[in-house]
Amino acid sequence: MRNKMADLPELKAELARVRAGKSGERTKTVVMAGGCFDIFHIGHLDYLQAARGMGDILVVAVNSDASVRRIKSRPPVFEAGQRAGIVAALEAVDHVFIFGEDDCCESLRAIRPDFFVKGWDYKDKTFPEMAAAREIGCEIKIAGEDKKSSSSRLRSILRGERRFL
């Protein structure tokens, strides 16, 4: 692959090449993280840098525009290609793809990472990817911490609302 952006079938093939040793055993640890990454902020950066530290290859799934509309009940500020481009520009990130589902279950099944990383805001919560991760033998990890950073907070500040300050 010439750049970090890929579609899922291309990425799946690339990962099969880079993580298999001569005898077929895994030689690289694959970590997958996902999110909307709309109005990128320090919390996103901390999350992705922490995820990167958990393995050899970091794959990031970015929600499509339609997916963001469904799960956030609003359109994204930036379109998926721009959001994915920002994520791909990070040194910590190896591969990025855009997915259209509301969760990463199908992407997890396709990528089959060793670890699936969720942000601090999912600590002590259940989420759809838990069952898919168990199904493929993928360990779920939590990364980042609450630094009072969120796209929603930034949107409110930009609209002039001060309820978060």
Side-chain angles (χ1 to χ4, degrees):
M1 289 179 7
R2 296 185 66 192
N3 63 40
K4 295 181 181 184
M5 301 290 292
D7 61 23
L8 196 52
E10 178 185 23
L11 180 55
K12 189 175 168 182
E14 172 69 10
L15 290 173
R17 281 191 297 279
V18 299
R19 69 179 165 191
K22 291 179 182 174
S23 61
E25 80 281 359
R26 282 190 177 191
T27 60
K28 299 282 186 180
T29 302
V30 176
V31 179
M32 185 173 144
C36 298
F37 303 103
D38 200 20
I39 311 180
F40 197 87
H41 55 75
I42 191 67
H44 291 135
L45 182 62
D46 289 347
Y47 163 60
L48 293 174
Q49 287 178 328
R52 178 67 175 105
M54 295 177 187
D56 301 310
I57 300 168
L58 177 58
V59 176
V60 181
V62 175
N63 291 77
S64 69
D65 296 340
S67 176
V68 172
R69 278 188 211 89
R70 288 190 303 271
I71 64 177
K72 302 280 189 182
S73 299
R74 61 164 173 76
V77 174
F78 298 103
E79 63 96 21
Q82 292 173 318
R83 293 182 281 117
I86 290 168
V87 171
L90 299 173
E91 184 177 336
V93 175
D94 296 298
H95 303 287
V96 179
F97 69 97
I98 297 170
F99 71 102
E101 296 78 29
D102 293 351
D103 58 51
C104 288
C105 293
E106 290 307 311
S107 298
L108 273 173
R109 290 182 185 104
I111 299 296
R112 304 187 73 78
D114 298 285
F115 302 112
F116 178 60
V117 183
K118 295 291 276 186
W120 64 268
D121 48 332
Y122 286 92
K123 184 179 179 189
D124 302 323
K125 292 182 183 177
T126 58
F127 42 88
E129 294 90 355
M130 287 177 151
R134 277 192 298 272
E135 175 187 313
I136 63 168
C138 171
E139 186 178 341
I140 294 174
K141 299 219 177 217
I142 300 295
E145 57 185 74
D146 181 3
K147 294 186 190 279
K148 307 263 186 270
S149 296
S150 73
S151 295
S152 297
R153 179 175 185 267
L154 290 172
R155 288 170 68 96
S156 293
I157 289 169
L158 293 171
R159 283 193 307 258
E161 298 172 16
R162 297 293 179 215
R163 63 185 171 131
F164 288 106
L165 297 177

